[in-house]
Amino acid sequence: MIKVKIKETNSNPSILHGNGKASRLPNGVYNNLKSKFLNTQTPIQDKNDNVTIVTWKGGKYANQETILETCMRYYDHPIVILDWPENKHFWEGSKFKVTGTLDAIKQGLVTTEYVMWFDCSDVILLESPSDILTNYQKHFEDYDLVFCAERNHYPKSDRMTAVSTDIISQYDKIYEYDNKSSPSTFKYLNSGCLVGKTSKLQEFLKEATIGLDEDINDTVMCRIAQYNMRDSVTVDKEC
């Protein structure tokens, strides 16, 4: 097992998400940590019957084992893999993380008290799902769901020129709120990692089902819903 320390927050994250360019730099921090994880992790049994791991997979990853699947194999933990929509551009397909996961819960594919969702191609679990759940229960007892945080405000409003003023105004208000809400540079919700209660996730996904006909992505949907439900859904800005 490897440990990572974030100097700014003096914390040891249980989950690493190398989203965007971070996971594509050949000798970058994420890829170095990924290599070290793969070379040092010892398989353990961690079949926790009280938590379901959910992800989405398709496209170029359809016929290969992703890093998340490797983690679940190491931890001997089952995983629910939902099919990423084919023949859609990335932002449009990403909305399935909201709508498809909501349908999966309604269809009984997620019946446990707790749920975790992770992007399949760039998320590394440095601790077992059971340990991650314990950390969540210890540090976020006042919240039903917690998202991971990132330093990058993504996507920026100038990338959504064709989006309705209603959504843009909500999104800009959230950006101002996030900038004021924490001294940490990890200010912004990242929709690639989530831990919490299944019942609240179902409620959250209903709240997040917005802008289906607009040129937005799952991050915008989740950031607006999290802001609207911030009393029970939070972002781990201390990492």
Side-chain angles (χ1 to χ4, degrees):
M1 179 181 294
I2 65 173
K3 282 190 173 295
V4 175
K5 184 173 184 178
I6 299 177
K7 291 182 179 179
E8 177 188 339
T9 58
N10 195 34
S11 60
N12 301 105
S14 301
I15 305 162
L16 291 181
H17 185 201
N19 54 307
K21 294 181 180 179
S23 62
R24 295 192 291 270
L25 296 173
N27 295 308
V29 173
Y30 174 83
N31 275 327
N32 286 339
L33 289 171
K34 177 180 176 181
S35 177
K36 188 171 183 179
F37 173 84
L38 293 174
N39 290 328
T40 61
Q41 179 62 36
T42 302
I44 64 172
Q45 287 190 332
D46 186 66
K47 290 183 178 178
N48 188 320
D49 294 333
N50 206 27
V51 60
T52 300
I53 310 297
V54 177
T55 193
W56 318 267
K57 181 181 176 182
K60 64 182 180 180
Y61 301 108
N63 298 313
Q64 60 180 275
E65 181 177 88
T66 63
I67 182 60
L68 181 64
E69 291 172 281
T70 301
C71 289
M72 293 303 99
R73 179 164 55 81
Y74 281 1
Y75 295 127
D76 195 21
H77 198 292
I79 181 172
V80 173
I81 301 177
L82 305 178
D83 292 330
W84 185 273
E86 300 293 339
N87 302 317
K88 292 183 181 293
H89 69 76
F90 184 75
W91 276 24
E92 187 64 25
S94 75
K95 295 175 183 176
F96 181 77
K97 289 171 65 175
V98 172
T99 59
T101 307
L102 178 58
D103 287 342
I105 294 173
K106 290 179 177 179
Q107 293 166 10
L109 296 180
V110 184
T111 59
T112 51
E113 181 179 1
Y114 295 99
V115 63
M116 301 178 189
W117 84 9
F118 304 116
D119 287 348
C120 72
S121 64
D122 53 13
V123 171
I124 304 173
L125 304 192
L126 300 180
E127 298 184 26
S128 70
S130 290
D131 288 339
I132 292 171
L133 181 61
T134 298
N135 288 337
Y136 155 74
Q137 293 169 326
K138 176 181 178 181
H139 297 291
F140 296 96
E141 59 183 358
D142 294 330
Y143 294 97
D144 295 324
L145 292 176
V146 57
F147 281 90
C148 68
E150 65 171 298
R151 288 174 166 145
N152 184 33
H153 168 53
Y154 170 83
K156 293 179 173 58
S157 296
D158 59 10
R159 291 191 60 181
M160 300 186 287
T161 55
V163 176
S164 67
T165 54
D166 178 53
I167 286 182
I168 290 295
S169 63
Q170 291 183 70
Y171 194 64
D172 287 344
K173 179 175 69 174
I174 294 165
Y175 174 58
E176 294 178 5
Y177 175 84
D178 287 341
N179 284 335
K180 297 176 182 178
S181 64
S182 173
S184 166
T185 61
F186 296 92
K187 297 179 182 294
Y188 311 111
L189 179 150
N190 182 292
S191 60
C193 306
L194 172 148
V195 178
K197 297 179 180 178
T198 303
S199 58
K200 181 59 66 171
L201 178 59
Q202 183 170 8
E203 179 185 344
F204 175 85
L205 293 174
K206 291 177 181 177
E207 179 72 22
T209 304
I210 60 171
L212 296 182
D213 297 324
E214 303 223 39
D215 189 21
I216 61 175
N217 63 9
D218 66 296
T219 300
V220 176
M221 298 164 78
C222 288
R223 286 183 68 177
I224 291 175
Q226 186 273 322
Y227 177 81
N228 292 339
M229 298 177 64
R230 59 190 179 280
D231 289 342
S232 58
V233 182
T234 192
V235 179
D236 183 10
K237 297 182 179 183
E238 298 302 316
C239 296

